[in-house]
Amino acid sequence: MTFKVFLQYILPHRALSRVVYWATRWTLAPWKNFLIGKIVRSYQVDMTEAAQSDPFAYPHFNAFFTRKLRPDARRADTTPDALIAPADGRISQAGPIVDGRIFQAKGQDYTAVELLGDEAAAAPYRNGRFITIYLSPRDYHRVHMPLRGTLKETVHIPGRIFSVAPFAVNAIPRLFARNERLVCHFDGAQGPFAVVMVGAILVSSVATVWDGLVIPPYAPSIRRKSFAGQNITLDRFAEMARFNMGSTVIMLLPEGAAELDTLTSQQAIKVGQRLGEVRHT
């Protein structure tokens, strides 16, 4: 075990994340401009895509980090049955779910039951398909709908807040099934699908378009919220959530619902890009 991985086990994850949550909302100009400037320079953030292209015009760091893009900066694939990327980032892994197990990296895997926190909810995905997308600090941090869907339930699952950077994903067993996360269950024309927002150390804040800020507070136990009968239907490519800071999105599709295109680990993707084709039931 490397020292960097060892630190992931001993650091006070939630305490550090709470400090960062507040620090990224301080409006003191020298402070927020220092943070924004450091990210823009270090990660070569393309501000020409942003609706507000001046990075220092944002009131605080989090407003910059969750910035809105120009309407023409992203387009959804025009093929009607295209499964599209819900986030900017890189493909961590993608492919079949084999007997309920999802590949993480380098011999690591975890189960759909562990990820979703519910055996019945995981059943449709037992031999389905998954796509895991890693968002880095340079990426656009709003998450969009990969398909048109009606929200059925969200499940806030407590856990650790390990880093989701490649070094941690390669070394920490069942990382995505251990981190704090918000599972969003939808029904679509092809059947059910799930979009999982996975938190990470320093970046574990998640907000949705239907509920606002969901994480924090951190959950002491599994928290379910039903949206049955509320008719919350979001079109493909519509914004659904955002990370206040960045992390990982995992999408699950049931067996026979979609055929994925050839997707390779570390492949860069953009919101709206075609990832496969859905098959309607």
Side-chain angles (χ1 to χ4, degrees):
M1 181 184 295
T2 67
F3 180 68
K4 189 159 60 169
V5 172
F6 174 69
L7 280 178
Q8 292 297 310
Y9 286 95
I10 64 171
L11 287 173
H13 293 183
R14 289 187 173 184
L16 288 172
S17 294
R18 286 188 182 99
V19 169
V20 171
Y21 178 88
W22 292 111
T24 54
R25 286 159 176 77
W26 291 344
T27 57
L28 184 67
W31 170 253
K32 60 102 174 174
N33 289 347
F34 166 75
L35 292 180
I36 292 170
K38 184 172 181 61
I39 291 294
V40 170
R41 292 189 301 272
S42 298
Y43 292 93
Q44 299 179 325
V45 177
D46 183 3
M47 293 302 297
T48 65
E49 295 182 329
Q52 170 53 266
S53 61
D54 178 2
F56 303 117
Y58 294 91
H60 48 67
F61 180 83
N62 190 65
F64 152 76
F65 209 80
T66 58
R67 62 195 174 274
K68 184 178 181 179
L69 298 185
R70 296 192 332 263
D72 62 345
R74 298 289 182 274
R75 298 287 189 188
D77 188 282
T78 56
T79 307
D81 292 333
L83 172 71
I84 64 170
D88 282 15
R90 291 185 178 273
I91 298 291
S92 176
Q93 299 292 340
I97 303 170
V98 181
D99 198 21
R101 305 198 71 85
I102 302 170
F103 182 61
Q104 180 173 299
K106 292 188 175 181
Q108 309 281 3
D109 65 9
Y110 56 94
T111 69
V113 173
E114 291 174 319
L115 180 69
L116 302 181
D118 186 295
E119 188 169 352
Y125 309 109
R126 184 174 181 84
N127 291 295
R129 297 291 183 268
F130 81 97
I131 301 173
T132 304
I133 302 168
Y134 168 65
L135 289 74
S136 78
R138 71 172 297 168
D139 291 316
Y140 169 61
H141 281 85
R142 300 191 184 195
V143 178
H144 293 239
M145 292 289 288
L147 301 165
R148 177 181 169 85
T150 299
L151 181 67
K152 294 302 181 183
E153 182 185 43
T154 60
V155 185
H156 180 183
I157 303 177
R160 299 295 301 272
I161 318 178
F162 292 115
S163 170
V164 294
F167 82 88
V169 172
N170 290 339
I172 299 176
R174 302 170 37 256
L175 185 151
F176 298 126
R178 296 168 71 177
N179 272 18
E180 191 116 1
R181 56 203 178 276
L182 182 71
V183 180
C184 304
H185 290 288
F186 295 93
D187 274 345
Q190 75 299 317
F193 65 97
V195 179
V196 184
M197 308 277 289
V198 183
I201 192 167
L202 308 183
V203 294
S204 58
S205 179
V206 174
T208 65
V209 298
W210 54 82
D211 250 355
L213 187 66
V214 180
I215 309 173
Y218 300 115
S221 59
I222 291 179
R223 295 177 174 175
R224 302 178 183 277
K225 186 171 182 179
S226 174
F227 292 88
Q230 296 190 33
N231 296 318
I232 299 176
T233 299
L234 301 175
D235 287 332
R236 187 183 69 152
F237 193 58
E239 182 182 339
M240 61 163 284
R242 68 184 64 175
F243 284 113
N244 298 307
M245 301 293 281
S247 192
T248 293
V249 176
I250 302 174
M251 179 169 40
L252 303 185
L253 295 156
E255 183 176 7
E259 188 67 35
L260 301 186
D261 292 345
T262 301
L263 304 172
T264 59
S265 180
Q266 301 309 309
Q267 175 183 337
I269 59 171
K270 298 288 188 184
V271 167
Q273 179 179 330
R274 176 191 163 104
L275 299 181
E277 184 173 334
V278 298
R279 297 170 178 169
H280 299 289
T281 56

